[in-house]
Amino acid sequence: MTKKIISFSIVIVLLLVTVVYSATTGSIKMGFFEFIDALFDKENSQMEAIRDLRFPRIIVALFAGAALSVSGVLLQSVMRNPLADAGVIGISSGAAFVQLFIISFFPALFFMTPVLAFMGGALACALVFALSWKSGLSPLKLILVGIAINAMFTGLTEAFISLGGSLNTSASSVIGSNLTMRTWKDVSTIVTYGSVGLVTALALYSWCNLLVLQDKTAKSLGFNVARARLLIAAVAVLLSAVSVVVAGVISFVGLLVPHIARRVVGHDHKVLIPFTALAGALLILVADTIGRTIVAPLEIPASTIMAIIGGPFLIFLLRKE
């Protein structure tokens, strides 16, 4: 228990430090005490710019990281596969394709993109389950099918953008994975849907723990395995879809963070889910801050940094498994 408390404390402190550093670093720079003073000064022009430009970006990065990480934990629980991740098995790319389609042809439905992106992610998830199921879930087959589904939806999205001309070029910028120019409206979207998903995920922790058991054992305890899988998968898809809608497609977060979190706080989802949410928020904020500052004024998207880190990590896990 002491180790878990220390781990939570370290992540929370690092998160607070990173938030302040991210808010005070860039084209507008502030010292820590200057930042604290300006925080309560409504007439400070520098702080006004930080409030309108950096705070929404920071909050979006935090919620996107938490949502993708917890989504990874839930998918790994449902599929009994430590390699499951919304970005790897096609859920994120399915949500992105549907979002692009709606923005291009039905712009009046733009306000419904979180729900429609959820449907796209759910379709991808259902395809992965259906095509990899054969008297049970084979971990290797599930990942291979997931990678194929991911490639299919990614290819459809790229073809759609290429064939659609200026209409889809402008629409593609909406689903881009760069967190630049995120607004308070984006914050409202990801906080609303993300909070629902995260709270529901935490409420389902006991089901996640039971899914670790073999199906026969769980059923003998009176546990409805099929219903639990369906509901937990739906929450995972919701979390990844809302992240795609606001922050774009960022892969490997749900793969990297849960694996490290299990080593730090163990396998009990009551502790694992909140720790993963905090660690995921920290990771994406660090990735975005590095991408924004390392070659300023140019920016490297957080998704690119995660791909650089996550690709080798996936290979490491595959070799280990």
Side-chain angles (χ1 to χ4, degrees), residues 3-318:
K3 181 185 175 183
K4 292 175 183 176
I5 293 171
I6 292 171
S7 301
F8 269 96
S9 301
I10 290 171
V11 170
I12 291 169
V13 169
L14 288 174
L15 198 54
L16 293 173
V17 169
T18 307
V19 166
V20 174
Y21 179 79
S22 183
T24 56
T25 305
S27 55
I28 300 174
K29 294 185 178 181
M30 280 189 178
F32 175 74
F33 293 107
E34 184 185 356
F35 172 74
I36 297 299
D37 289 337
L39 200 57
F40 303 100
D41 183 1
K42 293 182 179 180
E43 297 181 1
N44 188 306
S45 58
Q46 286 189 320
M47 179 52 72
E48 191 174 339
I50 289 173
R51 279 197 194 97
D52 291 339
L53 297 175
R54 286 195 194 150
F55 281 179
R57 181 171 184 161
I58 289 169
I59 296 169
V60 166
L62 293 173
F63 269 84
L68 288 170
S69 302
V70 172
S71 175
V73 169
L74 299 181
L75 288 171
Q76 288 157 23
S77 171
V78 167
M79 299 179 178
R80 290 208 193 96
N81 192 330
L83 303 178
D85 168 55
V88 174
I89 65 173
I91 293 173
S92 294
S93 55
F97 173 72
V98 171
Q99 184 193 8
L100 178 60
F101 184 84
I102 294 299
I103 291 169
S104 300
F105 290 108
F106 305 99
L109 297 177
F110 180 78
F111 69 97
M112 288 186 64
T113 46
V115 176
L116 295 168
F118 168 78
M119 293 170 65
L123 173 63
C125 188
L127 284 172
V128 171
F129 264 110
L131 296 174
S132 59
W133 185 277
K134 188 177 180 182
S135 63
L137 286 174
S138 163
L140 181 59
K141 184 185 285 187
L142 192 144
I143 290 300
L144 293 175
V145 169
I147 289 171
I149 296 295
N150 184 43
M152 180 186 76
F153 277 113
T154 302
L156 284 171
T157 302
E158 291 176 355
F160 199 68
I161 292 170
S162 300
L163 295 173
S166 59
L167 172 68
N168 287 340
T169 301
S170 60
S172 66
S173 65
V174 179
I175 65 165
S177 54
N178 197 322
L179 298 178
T180 307
M181 301 304 291
R182 293 297 176 250
T183 65
W184 285 107
K185 187 177 180 181
D186 295 317
V187 170
S188 176
T189 301
I190 199 167
V191 168
T192 302
Y193 288 94
S195 296
V196 170
L198 291 169
V199 170
T200 307
L202 187 56
L204 296 174
Y205 78 88
S206 59
W207 286 12
C208 294
N209 287 338
L210 284 169
L211 284 179
V212 174
L213 304 172
Q214 291 297 319
D215 285 1
K216 289 182 180 178
T217 308
K219 287 176 181 176
S220 69
L221 297 171
F223 182 59
N224 191 327
V225 175
R227 183 183 66 182
R229 275 210 174 102
L230 184 64
L231 185 54
I232 293 170
V235 175
V237 171
L238 171 65
L239 288 168
S240 58
V242 72
S243 176
V244 167
V245 167
V246 178
V249 178
I250 306 175
S251 298
F252 299 113
V253 183
L255 180 73
L256 190 70
V257 177
H259 183 80
I260 295 170
R262 285 189 188 93
R263 289 177 171 265
V264 176
V265 297
H267 294 263
D268 182 2
H269 286 80
K270 186 177 183 179
V271 179
L272 181 63
I273 289 173
F275 184 81
T276 302
L278 291 170
L282 175 62
L283 179 64
I284 292 298
L285 184 58
V286 168
D288 183 55
T289 305
I290 290 172
R292 180 169 61 82
T293 57
I294 195 169
V295 288
L298 301 176
E299 290 194 10
I300 303 172
S303 59
T304 303
I305 292 175
M306 286 311 306
I308 293 169
I309 299 170
F313 190 78
L314 176 59
I315 294 168
F316 164 75
L317 284 183
L318 282 169

